[in-house]
Amino acid sequence: MNKWQKILMGLASFILFIGIWQLIIIIGDYEEALLPSPAAVGQGIVTLIEDGTLLIHIKISLMRFVIGYVSAVILAILLGLIFGRIKWLWALLNPIVQLIRPVAPIAWAPFIVLWFGIGDIPAIVIIFIAAFFPVLLSTVTAVNQIDSRYLKIAQNLEIKQPQLMYKIIFPAAFPSIAHSLHIALGTAWIFLVSGEMIGAQSGLGYLIIDSRNALDLDLVLAGILFIGIIGLLLDSAISLFERWIQKFWGKPIA
């Protein structure tokens, strides 16, 4: 499928989505107060754009997301490389990681708010937790699955640490790690909204909660739509990055 076909399919999907939305309203005979129409939500989006509110919320949400996600990825990769090489240390810590990992980041919200107060930090911490574990576990696994021939060649060439880590181990493991970055991005973006619903006074999650409290359901749906749109754009961006990694450090994706 070429670029123009993808664009046409995207437009067709959008039109289909709007059509289904309007059809649900007609069939269910919903009032605007219960389920705003696409036109009403469109008017709400125009209002948010005109008064500058939407841009402010998007900027703040993206700022929180970037800080939480990038810091989680960097720390998770560094620790994953270490744990992957020091097997006894990972054997000691793995049960603890597996105990904490299944707990939804939002479950820590009461403690996070008590420790860090309200504002940007709670949302950033929740994003960090959401992104950290998928990347950590994937990195450890990727390091353990490195072809032993690479390590034997490095040994024959007398390559020692830290050169071994960044010249051999990291490049060999990163194509596998790149896929976990994709998964972690989606998870972190989902929990960004949850984090902003707790103690934040800005951001897309706050926009939804504030609009709900004011019974402006058109703005609630507007916030939901932009969360989905930005999530789609972020997913597309990380997909391009993943393909680039696979092209230069791994096998090309068909």
Side-chain angles (χ1 to χ4, degrees):
M1 185 178 293
N2 60 38
K3 180 178 70 174
W4 292 109
Q5 288 176 324
K6 290 180 180 179
I7 292 174
L8 289 174
M9 289 300 293
L11 289 174
S13 296
F14 177 74
I15 294 171
L16 178 62
F17 172 72
I18 296 298
I20 293 174
W21 181 355
Q22 188 63 54
L23 186 62
I24 291 173
I25 294 174
I26 295 172
I27 294 176
D29 194 24
Y30 291 108
E31 299 180 0
E32 286 285 335
L34 296 177
L35 181 59
S37 66
V41 174
Q43 183 59 48
I45 291 173
V46 170
T47 301
L48 290 173
I49 293 174
E50 287 179 344
D51 62 17
T53 303
L54 182 62
L55 183 59
I56 292 172
H57 288 309
I58 290 175
K59 280 183 176 180
I60 293 172
S61 289
L62 287 176
M63 179 271 292
R64 291 169 179 155
F65 176 79
V66 170
I67 294 173
Y69 177 75
V70 172
S71 58
V73 165
I74 292 173
L75 183 61
I77 290 177
L78 290 176
L79 291 178
L81 292 173
I82 294 171
F83 295 157
R85 293 292 293 163
I86 307 176
K87 299 187 185 303
W88 68 265
L89 181 58
W90 178 240
L92 176 66
L93 297 177
N94 186 36
I96 300 174
V97 172
Q98 297 300 338
L99 176 68
I100 299 175
R101 180 183 63 86
V103 179
I106 200 68
W108 298 102
F111 296 102
I112 292 172
V113 172
L114 286 174
W115 296 338
F116 300 103
I118 61 174
D120 294 331
I121 301 300
I124 292 172
V125 172
I126 288 173
I127 294 165
F128 179 94
I129 296 171
F132 178 78
F133 290 106
V135 179
L136 175 68
L137 294 174
S138 178
T139 303
V140 173
T141 301
V143 171
N144 288 329
Q145 293 178 346
I146 292 176
D147 193 327
S148 60
R149 289 175 296 181
Y150 294 157
L151 301 178
K152 289 179 181 178
I153 292 172
Q155 185 177 10
N156 292 336
L157 295 175
E158 297 184 352
I159 299 176
K160 305 295 184 181
Q161 297 289 3
Q163 289 83 2
L164 178 64
M165 188 66 76
Y166 70 80
K167 287 185 176 180
I168 303 295
I169 295 174
F170 181 63
F174 197 71
S176 298
I177 297 172
H179 181 64
S180 71
L181 301 182
H182 196 156
I183 296 172
L185 182 140
T187 305
W189 183 249
I190 290 171
F191 282 102
L192 161 73
V193 178
S194 302
E196 290 181 335
M197 289 180 174
I198 296 171
Q201 299 297 314
S202 57
L204 292 171
Y206 170 76
L207 172 64
I208 292 174
I209 290 296
D210 187 53
S211 300
R212 182 206 64 183
N213 293 339
L215 298 179
D216 294 329
L217 295 188
D218 54 336
L219 300 185
V220 171
L221 284 177
I224 291 172
L225 283 177
F226 272 93
I227 288 168
I229 291 170
I230 296 172
L232 176 61
L233 294 175
L234 290 172
D235 183 81
S236 299
I238 199 71
S239 294
L240 291 174
F241 175 72
E242 188 177 355
R243 291 178 69 87
W244 182 83
I245 291 299
Q246 291 290 347
K247 180 180 179 181
F248 287 97
W249 277 358
K251 297 180 180 179
I253 299 176

